[in-house]
Amino acid sequence: MPDRIRLKAFGMLAEKIGADSLEIENPGSSETLRRLLLEQFPALQPLTFRMAVDRKLIQAETDISAGQEIALLPPFSGG
Amino acid sequence: MEKVRSPKNIFVQGPILAEKIAQSIANHATKTDIGGHSIFLGQIRADEKPEGKVIAIEYTCYEEMALEKAFEIREDIFAKYPLTCMHIYHSLGEIKVGEICLFVFTSSKHRKAAMQACDELVERIKAELPIWGKEILDSSATQWKVNT
């Protein structure tokens, strides 16, 4: 199985990236992923966002393994 | 017998209609151990922004995560308060000003548990569920809602 991950983007982040889902090579960790995203999509730089790995919000740098679902989450505004 | 609960869908496409709320209240008439209900209804407000007036909010969500999280919140609130029932509905799609986008309904033997649980549920829904609102303005501009 190739070392790839599925990335989902929501809300304002999907707008800035121009897609709500991407498949990319696994960067190995959440912080490396964040750095790569900010490089590739400079429009994300002023934005605040959190990440979820397999639908769980992560609080600190987290290892990412192939096949995991990573989500980029802008501040929630339900209700 | 211990009731086993599983995640259920909280999302409604479009606004939550008054008829649905009335029906939901009526459905509890047979549960005669209930002494108090508490209901919160979130309504789309016509906020004035520098770029125009809000005419609708379009809601999107990360559904799988939102349903898992909503289930976790339900379990926490059931463990914390002596509730008989709890219902949560949140709209998706475009909801116009004056329409209802959130319906939270708790029932208990006595009022205080129902009222406190309802309040805590609303706070947790707004803070913890991956849902996003995009405000549509009368100038046809849009901007992302920020929860205060």
Side-chain angles (χ1 to χ4, degrees):
Chain A
M1 179 176 169
D3 195 11
R4 294 181 76 79
I5 56 165
R6 204 148 62 89
L7 205 59
K8 290 184 161 202
F10 293 92
M12 186 192 292
L13 299 174
E15 270 185 8
K16 300 286 184 191
I17 289 173
D20 55 15
S21 120
L22 293 173
E23 206 190 285
I24 60 164
E25 202 163 308
N26 181 14
S29 83
S30 55
E31 280 316 301
T32 309
L33 172 61
R34 183 180 285 266
R35 208 175 56 241
L36 290 173
L37 287 168
L38 295 182
E39 268 172 33
Q40 199 181 340
F41 303 103
L44 300 184
Q45 284 170 11
L47 305 180
T48 303
F49 65 93
R50 292 184 289 177
M51 290 190 227
V53 176
D54 286 344
R55 299 174 299 284
K56 298 278 181 230
L57 209 54
I58 59 169
Q59 308 295 345
E61 175 153 17
T62 301
D63 289 339
I64 298 175
S65 15
Q68 281 188 315
E69 180 175 291
I70 314 298
L72 309 177
L73 311 172
F76 303 157
S77 56
Chain B
M1 193 176 72
E2 188 75 8
K3 193 175 164 193
V4 178
R5 287 183 287 262
S6 57
K8 56 180 185 180
N9 193 13
I10 63 164
F11 292 111
V12 175
Q13 198 63 41
I16 297 159
L17 302 176
E19 291 76 10
K20 180 182 173 72
I21 297 163
Q23 187 58 54
S24 189
I25 297 168
N27 289 345
H28 292 75
T30 52
K31 300 188 176 178
T32 51
D33 54 337
I34 292 173
H37 300 296
S38 189
I39 288 176
F40 175 82
L41 300 174
Q43 174 168 307
I44 307 295
R45 182 179 58 238
D47 259 355
E48 297 275 0
K49 308 273 172 169
E51 301 80 9
K53 196 186 202 178
V54 172
I55 55 169
I57 294 181
E58 187 185 354
Y59 287 102
T60 53
C61 72
Y62 181 8
E63 188 165 340
E64 301 87 339
M65 181 178 167
L67 295 181
E68 284 179 19
K69 193 73 196 176
F71 179 66
E72 188 186 311
I73 294 171
R74 272 177 70 84
E75 293 297 290
D76 286 352
I77 300 286
F78 264 123
K80 188 166 171 185
Y81 298 97
L83 297 180
T84 315
C85 292
M86 179 194 310
H87 302 279
I88 302 169
Y89 299 99
H90 196 296
S91 289
L92 292 179
E94 191 177 313
I95 315 302
K96 295 182 173 60
V97 293
E99 292 182 330
I100 302 297
C101 59
L102 175 62
F103 172 28
V104 178
F105 187 3
T106 52
S107 311
S108 188
K109 272 194 159 79
H110 303 286
R111 71 186 180 284
K112 283 198 175 145
M115 290 163 78
Q116 287 164 2
C118 186
D119 184 57
E120 194 168 325
L121 268 170
V122 173
E123 294 303 318
R124 291 196 61 180
I125 288 164
K126 291 178 84 96
E128 298 177 41
L129 293 190
I131 300 172
W132 298 276
K134 184 160 77 172
E135 294 167 335
I136 300 168
L137 308 178
D138 60 1
S139 58
S140 79
T142 61
Q143 63 184 40
W144 291 93
K145 176 173 178 265
V146 178
N147 273 3
T148 49

